[in-house]
Amino acid sequence: MLRISKLTDYGTVVLACLAATPEQRLTATEVAERTRLGLPTVGKLLKSFHRAGLLTSTRGMRGGYQLARPATRISAAAIIDAIEGPVAITECSGDHSACDFETSCRTGGAWQRINGAIRRSLDEITLAQLSGQEAVAVWRPELAGAVRTLPLSRSSGRI
């Protein structure tokens, strides 16, 4: 089964939280409160996204995290890459293959094409789409500004 990790799922929630108020810097504590995720998890995700260049951070009294670019310019692929590394559904699909059978395998080329198709699809989906901002702006323009005030809904409890 192909499935992203819970950490990547939570990372998308964290980025959606920051995308909801792009003009504000939010601390890790504020993001944790707004998303109802545990502070250690949020801190880990924020650091990973900062290292990947998806977030900027500012220290001090008015410090916090912000998206490094608009949500329309952050792809699902970039989010996954930041947490899990590059998408590779088989050993030979990645950039640094270590498969002993690669030279004699008849299926590797097909898997590489499949991997490429998945990657292209992930590159086409943006954080704005994942967080529902783009959909609201396109289908209900009168609500486009209201997206920022809607609370994020997640399952109850902390991780």
Side-chain angles (χ1 to χ4, degrees):
M1 169 185 288
L2 296 174
R3 176 179 242 160
I4 63 168
S5 69
K6 279 190 177 183
L7 194 60
T8 299
D9 184 27
Y10 297 150
T12 305
V13 172
V14 166
L15 290 176
C17 174
L18 292 167
T21 56
E23 68 286 346
Q24 290 182 329
R25 283 188 206 101
L26 297 178
T27 66
T29 301
E30 290 170 326
V31 173
E33 288 170 357
R34 290 179 185 202
T35 61
R36 298 181 60 188
L37 295 171
L39 184 58
T41 299
V42 169
K44 179 179 180 176
L45 289 165
L46 291 171
K47 288 175 187 172
S48 294
F49 290 137
H50 182 260
R51 272 192 305 270
L54 300 179
L55 299 179
T56 60
S57 66
T58 305
R59 294 179 184 248
M61 285 283 295
R62 297 175 194 224
Y65 293 89
Q66 284 179 292
L67 297 180
R69 55 187 181 263
T72 56
R73 294 190 40 230
I74 296 175
S75 70
I79 296 167
I80 292 171
D81 289 351
I83 304 299
E84 300 190 33
V87 175
I89 61 172
T90 61
E91 180 62 38
C92 65
S93 298
D95 290 338
H96 305 290
S97 175
C99 179
D100 295 334
F101 303 106
E102 191 170 358
T103 57
S104 62
C105 179
R106 294 180 180 196
T107 63
W111 282 117
Q112 290 170 6
R113 284 194 339 264
I114 293 167
N115 195 79
I118 291 170
R119 179 67 190 205
R120 284 188 298 279
S121 294
L122 292 170
D123 280 330
E124 292 173 2
I125 301 296
T126 68
L127 175 59
Q129 292 168 317
L130 288 169
S131 64
Q133 292 177 348
E134 189 172 293
V136 170
V138 171
W139 293 313
R140 302 271 319 266
E142 72 277 9
L143 296 179
V147 168
R148 294 195 170 123
T149 62
L150 296 175
L152 293 171
S153 63
R154 292 301 293 164
S155 58
S156 62
R158 295 187 172 268
I159 54 168

